[in-house]
Amino acid sequence: MEPKKNSPFVGYEYKEATVPDEKASFYMDCYANFGWEADENVVTTSQNGLVTLRMKRDRKMINKTELTRLQRHFEACAKEISQLERSRTSAATVWALAVGILGTVFMAGSVFAVTHQPPIYWLCVLLAIPAFAGWIAPYFVYRRRVEIQTKNVHPIIEAKYDEIYQICEKGHSLL
Protein backbone atom coordinates (compact mmCIF):
# COMPACT_ATOMS: atom_id res chain seq x y z
CA MET A 1 0.00 0.00 0.00
CA GLU A 2 1.39 3.36 -0.98
CA PRO A 3 1.32 6.31 1.43
CA LYS A 4 -1.02 9.13 0.49
CA LYS A 5 0.71 12.13 -1.03
CA ASN A 6 0.63 15.40 0.90
CA SER A 7 -0.62 13.67 4.05
CA PRO A 8 1.39 14.04 7.26
CA PHE A 9 3.18 11.04 8.74
CA VAL A 10 1.29 9.37 11.56
CA GLY A 11 2.98 6.84 13.83
CA TYR A 12 0.62 4.30 15.31
CA GLU A 13 0.65 2.07 18.33
CA TYR A 14 -1.17 -1.23 18.04
CA LYS A 15 -3.33 -3.31 20.32
CA GLU A 16 -4.89 -6.75 20.16
CA ALA A 17 -7.83 -7.73 22.33
CA THR A 18 -9.44 -11.17 22.39
CA VAL A 19 -13.08 -10.85 23.38
CA PRO A 20 -16.24 -13.00 23.26
CA ASP A 21 -17.84 -13.10 19.82
CA GLU A 22 -21.16 -11.65 20.99
CA LYS A 23 -19.47 -8.66 22.66
CA ALA A 24 -17.07 -7.68 19.86
CA SER A 25 -19.17 -4.69 18.80
CA PHE A 26 -19.46 -3.48 22.42
CA TYR A 27 -15.67 -3.64 22.87
CA MET A 28 -14.97 -1.85 19.55
CA ASP A 29 -17.41 0.91 20.49
CA CYS A 30 -15.78 1.32 23.89
CA TYR A 31 -12.19 1.21 22.61
CA ALA A 32 -13.05 3.93 20.08
CA ASN A 33 -13.61 6.26 23.04
CA PHE A 34 -9.94 5.82 24.01
CA GLY A 35 -8.64 6.70 20.56
CA TRP A 36 -8.47 3.18 19.12
CA GLU A 37 -9.76 2.39 15.66
CA ALA A 38 -9.96 -0.91 13.79
CA ASP A 39 -6.78 -1.70 11.88
CA GLU A 40 -8.02 -2.22 8.35
CA ASN A 41 -4.65 -3.69 7.29
CA VAL A 42 -5.17 -6.83 9.40
CA VAL A 43 -7.99 -9.34 9.24
CA THR A 44 -9.99 -9.88 12.43
CA THR A 45 -9.89 -13.57 13.37
CA SER A 46 -12.55 -15.60 15.11
CA GLN A 47 -12.36 -19.06 16.67
CA ASN A 48 -13.93 -20.95 19.58
CA GLY A 49 -16.42 -18.16 20.22
CA LEU A 50 -13.66 -15.55 20.64
CA VAL A 51 -12.73 -12.69 18.32
CA THR A 52 -9.30 -11.10 18.17
CA LEU A 53 -9.73 -7.39 17.58
CA ARG A 54 -6.74 -5.57 16.11
CA MET A 55 -6.68 -1.82 16.62
CA LYS A 56 -4.40 1.15 16.21
CA ARG A 57 -4.19 4.73 17.44
CA ASP A 58 -1.94 7.75 16.96
CA ARG A 59 1.14 7.57 19.17
CA LYS A 60 1.26 11.34 19.63
CA MET A 61 -2.31 11.95 20.67
CA ILE A 62 -3.04 14.44 23.43
CA ASN A 63 -4.09 13.14 26.88
CA LYS A 64 -2.68 9.70 26.07
CA THR A 65 -1.78 8.98 29.70
CA GLU A 66 -5.27 9.75 30.98
CA LEU A 67 -6.86 7.81 28.12
CA THR A 68 -4.68 4.80 28.95
CA ARG A 69 -5.71 5.01 32.61
CA LEU A 70 -9.38 5.17 31.65
CA GLN A 71 -8.89 2.28 29.23
CA ARG A 72 -7.40 0.12 31.99
CA HIS A 73 -10.35 1.00 34.22
CA PHE A 74 -12.71 -0.01 31.42
CA GLU A 75 -10.87 -3.32 30.92
CA ALA A 76 -11.07 -4.05 34.67
CA CYS A 77 -14.82 -3.36 34.69
CA ALA A 78 -15.34 -5.55 31.60
CA LYS A 79 -13.41 -8.36 33.30
CA GLU A 80 -15.58 -8.02 36.42
CA ILE A 81 -18.73 -8.24 34.26
CA SER A 82 -17.40 -11.40 32.65
CA GLN A 83 -16.68 -12.94 36.06
CA LEU A 84 -20.12 -11.97 37.36
CA GLU A 85 -21.80 -13.53 34.34
CA ARG A 86 -19.85 -16.76 34.87
CA SER A 87 -20.78 -16.76 38.56
CA ARG A 88 -24.45 -17.15 37.59
CA THR A 89 -23.86 -20.74 36.51
CA SER A 90 -20.82 -21.85 38.53
CA ALA A 91 -22.55 -21.97 41.93
CA ALA A 92 -25.61 -23.60 40.35
CA THR A 93 -23.38 -26.29 38.84
CA VAL A 94 -21.86 -27.06 42.25
CA TRP A 95 -25.31 -27.37 43.84
CA ALA A 96 -26.59 -29.64 41.06
CA LEU A 97 -23.50 -31.86 41.26
CA ALA A 98 -23.84 -32.16 45.03
CA VAL A 99 -27.48 -33.24 44.74
CA GLY A 100 -26.59 -35.73 41.99
CA ILE A 101 -23.74 -37.21 44.04
CA LEU A 102 -26.03 -37.51 47.06
CA GLY A 103 -28.53 -39.39 44.87
CA THR A 104 -25.73 -41.70 43.75
CA VAL A 105 -24.78 -42.40 47.37
CA PHE A 106 -28.38 -43.41 48.10
CA MET A 107 -28.38 -45.64 45.00
CA ALA A 108 -25.16 -47.31 46.17
CA GLY A 109 -26.84 -48.00 49.52
CA SER A 110 -29.83 -49.44 47.68
CA VAL A 111 -27.59 -51.73 45.63
CA PHE A 112 -25.74 -52.89 48.73
CA ALA A 113 -29.08 -53.63 50.42
CA VAL A 114 -30.31 -55.79 47.55
CA THR A 115 -27.00 -57.67 47.17
CA HIS A 116 -26.78 -58.38 50.89
CA GLN A 117 -27.29 -62.01 51.92
CA PRO A 118 -30.20 -62.32 52.53
CA PRO A 119 -31.44 -59.32 50.42
CA ILE A 120 -33.09 -56.51 52.36
CA TYR A 121 -35.75 -55.47 49.87
CA TRP A 122 -37.52 -52.94 52.07
CA LEU A 123 -34.22 -51.05 52.61
CA CYS A 124 -33.45 -51.26 48.88
CA VAL A 125 -36.79 -49.62 48.02
CA LEU A 126 -36.43 -47.10 50.85
CA LEU A 127 -33.00 -45.97 49.57
CA ALA A 128 -33.95 -46.11 45.87
CA ILE A 129 -36.64 -43.44 46.27
CA PRO A 130 -34.26 -40.61 47.35
CA ALA A 131 -31.68 -41.99 44.89
CA PHE A 132 -33.93 -41.46 41.89
CA ALA A 133 -35.05 -38.12 43.30
CA GLY A 134 -31.35 -37.21 43.62
CA TRP A 135 -30.84 -38.03 39.96
CA ILE A 136 -33.86 -36.09 38.75
CA ALA A 137 -33.57 -33.03 41.02
CA PRO A 138 -30.22 -31.61 39.77
CA TYR A 139 -31.86 -30.20 36.65
CA PHE A 140 -34.40 -28.28 38.70
CA VAL A 141 -31.85 -27.30 41.34
CA TYR A 142 -29.56 -25.93 38.62
CA ARG A 143 -32.32 -23.89 36.97
CA ARG A 144 -33.51 -22.48 40.30
CA ARG A 145 -29.99 -21.55 41.47
CA VAL A 146 -29.26 -19.83 38.14
CA GLU A 147 -32.50 -17.89 38.50
CA ILE A 148 -31.64 -16.80 42.05
CA GLN A 149 -28.04 -15.90 41.18
CA THR A 150 -29.18 -13.96 38.11
CA LYS A 151 -31.51 -11.87 40.29
CA ASN A 152 -28.62 -11.17 42.69
CA VAL A 153 -26.00 -10.41 40.04
CA HIS A 154 -28.07 -8.48 37.49
CA PRO A 155 -28.11 -5.14 39.38
CA ILE A 156 -24.35 -5.37 39.93
CA ILE A 157 -23.74 -6.04 36.22
CA GLU A 158 -25.97 -3.11 35.26
CA ALA A 159 -24.05 -0.85 37.65
CA LYS A 160 -20.78 -1.98 36.04
CA TYR A 161 -22.16 -1.19 32.58
CA ASP A 162 -23.15 2.28 33.82
CA GLU A 163 -19.62 2.71 35.17
CA ILE A 164 -18.18 1.66 31.79
CA TYR A 165 -20.37 4.17 29.98
CA GLN A 166 -19.19 6.95 32.31
CA ILE A 167 -15.57 5.95 31.69
CA CYS A 168 -16.16 5.95 27.91
CA GLU A 169 -17.83 9.32 28.15
CA LYS A 170 -14.78 10.76 29.96
CA GLY A 171 -12.48 9.20 27.37
CA HIS A 172 -14.53 10.57 24.50
CA SER A 173 -14.40 14.07 25.98
CA LEU A 174 -10.59 13.86 26.14
CA LEU A 175 -10.22 13.01 22.43
Side-chain angles (χ1 to χ4, degrees), residues 1-17:
M1 186 168 155
E2 293 182 28
K4 298 176 187 172
K5 295 186 180 198
N6 299 328
S7 63
F9 172 76
V10 177
Y12 291 105
E13 62 180 325
Y14 299 91
K15 178 171 183 58
E16 280 188 5

Side-chain angles (χ1 to χ4, degrees), residues 10-63:
V10 177
Y12 291 105
E13 62 180 325
Y14 299 91
K15 178 171 183 58
E16 280 188 5
T18 303
V19 301
D21 216 1
E22 66 275 0
K23 291 193 174 191
S25 182
F26 168 73
Y27 276 88
M28 279 306 297
D29 290 344
C30 289
Y31 276 119
N33 292 302
F34 308 115
W36 296 101
E37 59 187 63
D39 188 356
E40 66 278 349
N41 298 322
V42 183
V43 177
T44 301
T45 58
S46 175
Q47 69 183 70
N48 299 333
L50 297 174
V51 176
T52 301
L53 304 174
R54 291 179 174 85
M55 302 166 283
K56 65 181 181 178
R57 74 175 173 189
D58 187 353
R59 292 180 75 81
K60 295 182 180 177
M61 65 187 327
I62 323 170
N63 300 321

Side-chain angles (χ1 to χ4, degrees), residues 81 155-168:
I81 288 173
I156 301 168
I157 291 174
E158 286 302 315
K160 281 294 170 189
Y161 274 118
D162 290 342
E163 186 177 345
I164 283 175
Y165 294 137
Q166 289 174 351
I167 293 166
C168 289

Side-chain angles (χ1 to χ4, degrees), residues 133-144:
W135 286 351
I136 295 169
Y139 172 74
F140 301 104
V141 168
Y142 177 83
R143 289 192 53 202
R144 180 70 179 136

